Amino acid sequence: MRSGQRRRARLAASVATLAAFALMSTGGMAKPTPGSASARAAPPNILLIVADDLGFSDLGITGGEIRTPTLDRLAREGVLLTQFNTMPTCSPSRAALLTGRDPHRVGLGAMAELTAPNQRGRPGYEGYLIDGVPTLAAALRDRGYSTYMTGKWHLGDTPGHLPVDRGFERSLAMLHGGASHMDLRGYMPQYPRAVYVEDGRPAQISEPLYSSDLFADRLLGYIRDGRSSGKPFFGLLAFTAPHAPLQAPDSLLAAQSDRYAAGWDRIRAERFERLRERHLVPREASLPARWSMVPAWDTLDAEQRAREQRRMAAYAAMVAGLDRSLAHLVEGLERDGLLANTVIVFMSDNGAEASDFSAAPGIGDWFRKNWDNATGNIGRSTSYVFPGAGWAQVSGTPNRLFKGLPTSGGTRVPAFVRAPGRYPAGARVDAFTSVLDIAPTLVALAGGSLRDVDGRSLDRVLSGRARDVRGQREGLGIELLGSQAYVEGRWKAVRLRAPWGNGEWQLYDLATDPAESQDLAARQPKVVARLAAQYAVWAQRVGVIDVPARFSPYPIVFGPSGAGETPAAPPTQRP
């Protein structure tokens, strides 16, 4: 060997020895500097944030007047998904989120509480996330991630169907569809007490509490406790805000006290203009008409206006409170040097809630006996009110209708993906994307894959290498309690039952009308026929069981404006 070769060999050996010592000193895993090229190459931490019943325009970044600086900042640092769609209600969305499969395929074809008699006990309608289905959490755990979850579960409330059974190593879960946010009271007569479990066992929760703070702080604690493992983390933060009951600490309520005196008509118009400025509605679009079941604000009397103003102030306080709680978590990750290599996904589980269940037959007495809903008490821990239809239309601006229906107002929600060094900051994706796409996207970012999914990885559209997630003839169906939709390329076909439709297919061009304001069915009968036929094929494949004609769709109940105590008749015209 020549002298030059010998010198190069000795140098290579010295470098290898130093590298070995460095590797041993970090427990076998090199620890890159956050934000460096090696950090970007390392498996990312993943934080998945889910809001509950948050409308499309409730964030500042999507046109809202509510102050959400943390979410707005994270969205600006990521990619905004302007056409992100969920399922029409919460547990079907959560099932799709955690599996990448249509909820009919995994036991949540309908919410357990609302399953039709002919669906109960049938495959696809078990009312919990069935066994044998790979989950996002289990897939990431198997790839070396620490997996944590805090917040709303709503995917099963018996042993064998809890977060600990579905891949989460640590979890604090509120098992049912809702609960008081400030104590341990439940949210419906059949659930008089909130049920929390931690790591599969009954949780010890101290009162008073505030749900958003509890869930964010506990997740940060889990992440910090697990740092010594050297593993990346996956954290699911499933807020129960701003789901009813509308409750918030007095400090948050006070900050919103005068903001909504202008009423829902003006607030909605202002949001629409901000959406237009942000190019989130077409420049030539007009503000959709007020829903027929919502009175004009100036027709309300003084007491009704005061009550409705307080109602929306409570809702806004909850959204602001969610943002504040998230800020504490994000600041903690930043201080700990974890934020730079953390992928953050944010979404709502469905659109805004328009129903006022305190007006539902059979349970109005429970609300009157157990809650103080005097106007001045709305938003406090002893009150229980819903947003109501007037403010739900504001939250969903500019979209059509609300939670429970497969229209834009029920499924199109605010969402973004923040992935420093992976996807461009300040970008947006206008293609149709789905809650089904999240699990395959996140598992792919971790270097793995999920089998037999209905979703698609969003990596190519998020990075700007592709414009669409699906091919022009690759469709996606949505169904809940007899309300149906099918999306293919730019087209969306929707079929609604009374009182929201006449059972005929409607057609919308999502490329020019994402809010679904112009029905094109009469002009495009061939497109309607094709999508209707494809919906039938899809429904058979995933196992949809049609509900009886007499079975009511998602139980939309409207109380008289400001009262919320007696049922109102359904609208006489389709909004």
Side-chain angles (χ1 to χ4, degrees):
M1 181 182 293
R2 295 179 181 177
S3 60
Q5 291 175 319
R6 285 195 295 271
R7 284 195 299 272
R8 285 193 293 273
R10 286 195 297 271
L11 179 60
S14 299
V15 170
T17 301
L18 289 171
F21 276 116
L23 190 61
M24 286 187 290
S25 70
T26 59
M29 181 178 291
K31 296 184 178 179
T33 302
S36 66
S38 57
R40 291 192 298 272
N45 303 308
I46 298 171
L47 175 61
L48 175 54
I49 308 161
V50 183
D52 200 349
D53 293 359
L54 186 77
F56 179 78
S57 67
D58 280 331
L59 303 184
I61 195 75
T62 55
E65 72 291 330
I66 305 170
R67 289 198 71 253
T68 53
T70 305
L71 286 165
D72 294 346
R73 167 202 160 189
L74 295 174
R76 285 192 297 269
E77 293 173 351
V79 181
L80 189 65
L81 305 178
T82 68
Q83 274 274 36
F84 183 81
N85 285 259
T86 61
M87 301 303 151
T89 57
C90 43
S91 49
S93 284
R94 293 164 198 273
L97 177 66
L98 286 184
T99 66
R101 299 187 188 186
D102 184 272
H104 297 86
R105 299 180 59 209
V106 297
L108 274 303
M111 295 169 63
E113 302 92 328
L114 299 176
T115 306
N118 68 315
Q119 296 171 335
R120 290 176 193 147
R122 303 278 297 279
Y125 295 86
E126 290 84 351
Y128 56 82
L129 191 59
I130 60 175
D131 298 333
V133 179
T135 67
L136 170 60
L140 292 174
R141 180 199 60 198
D142 293 347
R143 295 200 64 80
Y145 277 69
S146 297
T147 55
Y148 313 124
M149 178 266 172
T150 61
K152 179 172 171 177
W153 180 240
H154 208 196
L155 295 173
D157 59 5
T158 57
H161 304 294
L162 306 179
V164 69
D165 305 305
R166 307 320 306 257
F168 290 100
E169 296 168 329
R170 300 295 316 275
S171 59
L172 174 67
M174 193 278 292
L175 295 185
H176 295 143
S180 171
H181 296 275
M182 306 183 80
D183 55 38
L184 295 177
R185 287 192 283 180
Y187 79 118
M188 284 289 163
Q190 64 269 39
Y191 302 114
R193 295 287 289 176
V195 178
Y196 288 83
V197 295
E198 187 163 27
D199 303 334
R201 297 180 296 275
Q204 302 300 312
I205 305 293
S206 299
E207 300 177 88
L209 60 96
Y210 193 55
S211 63
S212 295
D213 292 341
L214 172 67
F215 298 141
D217 292 349
R218 190 65 57 95
L219 181 59
L220 181 58
Y222 290 161
I223 292 168
R224 285 175 165 167
D225 289 346
R227 285 202 68 186
S228 60
S229 70
K231 297 179 180 180
F233 72 80
F234 165 56
L236 169 59
L237 175 54
F239 286 109
T240 50
H243 191 291
L246 304 185
Q247 298 170 336
D250 283 344
S251 59
L252 290 172
L253 287 170
Q256 309 293 334
S257 61
D258 298 324
R259 183 162 292 174
Y260 295 99
W264 48 56
D265 291 328
R266 180 173 169 183
I267 299 294
R268 186 166 71 96
E270 291 172 348
R271 286 194 182 194
F272 188 83
E273 287 306 312
R274 286 191 291 270
L275 287 164
R276 195 199 305 273
E277 292 167 3
R278 291 162 171 73
H279 304 288
L280 291 172
V281 297
R283 182 56 91 174
E284 67 278 7
S286 300
L287 178 68
R290 187 190 318 107
W291 295 340
S292 62
M293 69 293 241
V294 176
W297 182 262
D298 61 11
T299 67
L300 303 183
D301 63 32
E303 170 54 26
Q304 289 173 327
R305 289 196 299 270
R307 186 173 181 83
E308 293 298 336
Q309 178 182 343
R310 179 80 180 191
R311 189 195 300 261
M312 185 58 187
Y315 179 88
M318 292 186 73
V319 176
L322 180 157
D323 191 86
R324 183 190 69 176
S325 300
L326 179 59
H328 182 243
L329 170 62
V330 170
E331 289 163 4
L333 295 177
E334 199 159 22
R335 282 195 301 271
D336 294 349
L338 298 173
L339 187 62
N341 194 38
T342 297
V343 172
I344 298 177
V345 178
F346 174 84
M347 56 172 278
S348 178
D349 64 341
N350 46 246
E353 176 67 270
S355 282
D356 184 343
F357 287 94
S358 66
I363 63 173
D365 286 346
W366 180 78
F367 282 92
R368 284 187 287 270
K369 290 176 181 177
N370 291 281
W371 306 91
D372 175 8
N373 289 336
T375 296
N377 198 53
I378 288 176
R380 297 201 170 102
S381 63
T382 53
S383 72
Y384 191 150
V385 301
F386 294 81
W391 294 117
Q393 187 172 21
V394 172
S395 290
T397 306
N399 297 325
R400 178 175 175 240
L401 298 177
F402 35 72
K403 173 184 175 180
L405 299 172
T407 58
S408 56
T411 65
R412 186 187 180 206
V413 299
F416 61 79
V417 178
R418 175 193 180 274
R422 290 174 171 85
Y423 304 133
R428 57 186 271 178
V429 169
D430 294 328
F432 184 93
T433 53
S434 169
V435 63
L436 293 164
D437 302 329
I438 298 300
T441 300
L442 295 181
V443 174
L445 279 173
S449 62
L450 282 174
R451 60 179 174 83
D452 191 20
V453 294
D454 298 303
R456 300 288 181 267
S457 172
L458 299 177
D459 180 68
R460 287 179 57 80
V461 295
L462 291 170
S463 60
R465 291 177 291 138
R467 184 172 181 176
D468 295 309
V469 181
R470 293 166 176 81
Q472 288 302 302
R473 291 299 175 94
E474 184 181 4
L476 195 66
I478 304 172
E479 188 276 342
L480 181 73
L481 300 175
S483 296
Q484 305 161 356
Y486 194 82
V487 179
E488 180 196 81
R490 68 188 298 159
W491 298 111
K492 180 177 180 180
V494 180
R495 182 162 63 178
L496 304 179
R497 302 169 66 184
W500 314 115
N502 59 8
E504 299 295 326
W505 285 102
Q506 302 155 354
L507 182 69
Y508 301 95
D509 183 349
L510 298 181
T512 60
D513 182 25
E516 301 171 23
S517 61
Q518 298 293 323
D519 180 7
L520 303 178
R523 298 186 220 170
Q524 299 283 349
K526 291 182 179 179
V527 176
V528 173
R530 185 179 78 244
L531 268 60
Q534 291 176 346
Y535 171 84
V537 172
W538 169 84
Q540 183 174 21
R541 179 179 69 82
V542 302
V544 171
I545 298 175
D546 287 332
V547 298
R550 65 184 181 277
F551 188 77
S552 173
Y554 182 75
I556 311 299
V557 203
F558 303 111
S561 178
E565 294 180 349
T566 58
T572 56
Q573 62 185 38
R574 181 163 51 87

